[in-house]
């Protein structure tokens, strides 16, 4: 949801200094609770607000998907280290709760190389 919000704000174009004031009234539940952990001044700083929301929500399947797809490898990194990291991201993304998902993990990791 934050990615969509940011895209809309950029396309708006909304002044970045006001993004937090546009987002805050829309927050509910866990995202609102995360925002309330901030001081009023910090709450009005969008990067700080976004970080608090993401930290308060914990890892999400979408976050793992994004990490999986955007992972950049160092030239000197051992392939097993890369595969292990990708595997962890894929498990978080797909929740590995079915045999078919295990098979998907194998396909995704092999495809990523």
């Amino acid at each position: 949801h934050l990615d969509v919000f940011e895209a809309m704000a950029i396309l708006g174009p909304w002044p970045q200094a006001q993004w937090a004031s546009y987002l805050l009234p829309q927050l509910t539940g866990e995202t609102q609770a995360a925002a309330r952990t901030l001081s009023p001044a910090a709450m009005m700083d969008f990067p700080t607000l976004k970080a608090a929301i993401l930290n308060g929500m914990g890892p999400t399947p979408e976050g793992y998907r994004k990490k999986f797809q955007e992972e950049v490898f160092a030239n000197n990194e051992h392939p097993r280290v890369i595969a292990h990291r990708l595997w962890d991201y894929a498990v978080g993304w797909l929740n590995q709760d079915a045999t078919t998902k295990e098979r998907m993990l194998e396909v995704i990791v092999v495809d990523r190389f």
Side-chain angles (χ1 to χ4, degrees):
H1 295 280
L2 286 173
D3 289 339
V4 172
F5 174 84
E6 286 184 78
M8 294 299 299
I10 291 167
L11 292 173
W14 303 341
Q16 190 169 6
Q18 296 176 2
W19 287 10
S21 64
Y22 296 152
L23 179 62
L24 280 167
Q26 307 306 314
L27 300 179
T28 61
E30 292 180 56
T31 57
Q32 188 178 62
R36 284 191 303 234
T37 65
L38 300 171
S39 70
M43 208 182 286
M44 295 309 295
D45 178 65
F46 181 76
T48 304
L49 176 61
K50 178 181 174 182
I53 290 169
L54 292 175
N55 289 335
M57 297 301 297
T60 64
E62 178 61 20
Y64 282 116
R65 181 199 62 78
K66 192 171 184 177
K67 284 182 178 185
F68 183 88
Q69 293 180 339
E70 295 176 356
E71 184 65 19
V72 178
F73 313 124
N75 288 336
N76 61 348
E77 225 174 347
H78 193 279
R80 287 185 191 265
V81 173
I82 295 168
H84 181 71
R85 190 167 58 247
L86 288 174
W87 185 268
D88 287 344
Y89 294 159
V91 168
W93 172 19
L94 301 171
N95 294 321
Q96 194 178 3
D97 61 355
T99 305
T100 57
K101 286 186 181 177
E102 287 181 20
R103 177 66 186 129
M104 282 195 299
L105 289 175
E106 292 172 17
V107 171
I108 290 169
V109 171
V110 169
D111 181 57
R112 189 68 166 103
F113 285 106

